[in-house]
Amino acid sequence: MTVDNPAPQGNAAQDTAVQGPAARPRPAPRRATAPRPASRRATARRVLPAALVLALAAAGTACDAMSNEPERYSQACGVVVDGSGSALDTKTGFDAEAKLKARLDTFLKDRKCRKTSFAPITKVSMASKCQVSPLDLDPDGSKTSDRDRTRKALRAVALSSALKLLHCAQKQEPGSDVLGGLSRIALTKPSGDDASFDVLVVSDFDQGDPDFRLGRQDLSTDASREKTADGFLKSHGKPELSGADIYPVGYGMKYHTDTSRYEQFNAFWTEVLEGRVKAHVHTDYR
């Protein structure tokens, strides 16, 4: 007997079923590839914002430093101290030492004084041997955080210098050449018509030198005061203090109980200082 369709043997039937028309071939596995490096342009896009942040942060730090920097002082100032007998701590005196200690630091701080010069009032002020060196009260420096402390320390040095000048003036021959003291401090005034200059004058302004004694002058009328001012400035010279700001301390204390005499005294000095010298007189520290 002949067998036309013999049965498949072994696993042939299973292989035939798997490999039938419905079966799909499996794709060959793809080979793994290394990640492509980022382009330079993409790297720049990532780095640029970081650099910009650093730049802005640095700029912000610089601005903070500038905003924290104290305002620099630039005002030129003068200090004139009267060493005459009336400067003593007496019933009729105005106590120059106490006035300096009470007013000088405040004046220097209020007026934002930087370069500060000193002059004495003695019997002949322009020729007096008493002198102390000018001071820079806001010097340049790298430690801005210490600037206020430095200024405070240098104002204390300024007080020490003023007291030293006062004590020297008090050892000279008795006399009170107030106008001469003003002429001497005027030598330190900055040049230029618009250059500002603040001057603290610790004195009772009772002019009393070998050639002129204010207490002996007729100051009773406008005409007599003008005549007295003419002769006074002719013999003593006019201080170059046009435009300066003068701050007296102890002014007119000799006449504090005599209103009429004080008014004549004040009118005379107003004529001299504001009318003739063209300075500005203030009462802030009297």
Side-chain angles (χ1 to χ4, degrees), residues 2-145:
T2 302
V3 179
D4 293 334
N5 296 313
Q9 299 182 5
N11 293 327
Q14 297 176 5
D15 292 340
T16 301
V18 172
Q19 296 177 4
R24 294 182 181 177
R26 294 179 180 177
R30 299 176 64 180
R31 291 186 300 172
T33 57
R36 297 174 64 185
S39 66
R40 291 182 180 178
R41 183 176 297 176
T43 301
R45 284 197 298 267
R46 289 196 298 268
V47 173
L48 182 59
L52 184 59
V53 169
L54 291 175
L56 291 173
T61 302
C63 290
D64 289 342
M66 291 178 65
S67 62
N68 291 332
E69 167 72 5
E71 179 186 356
R72 299 303 304 276
Y73 291 170
S74 60
Q75 181 64 35
C77 296
V79 180
V80 182
V81 294
D82 189 339
S84 66
S86 59
L88 297 174
D89 180 14
T90 62
K91 185 177 180 180
T92 58
F94 64 91
D95 196 351
E97 183 167 335
K99 292 289 189 297
L100 275 171
K101 291 178 179 178
R103 301 287 190 270
L104 181 58
D105 183 84
T106 303
F107 166 78
L108 296 173
K109 184 164 53 176
D110 288 350
R111 310 323 304 168
K112 298 183 178 180
C113 296
R114 184 164 185 180
K115 182 181 178 182
T116 302
S117 303
F118 304 85
I121 293 174
T122 61
K123 182 179 181 179
V124 185
S125 300
M126 285 295 287
S128 175
K129 66 179 183 180
C130 298
Q131 61 180 354
V132 293
S133 300
L135 292 173
D136 183 348
L137 302 183
D138 189 19
D140 295 332
S142 58
K143 294 184 178 180
T144 58
S145 60

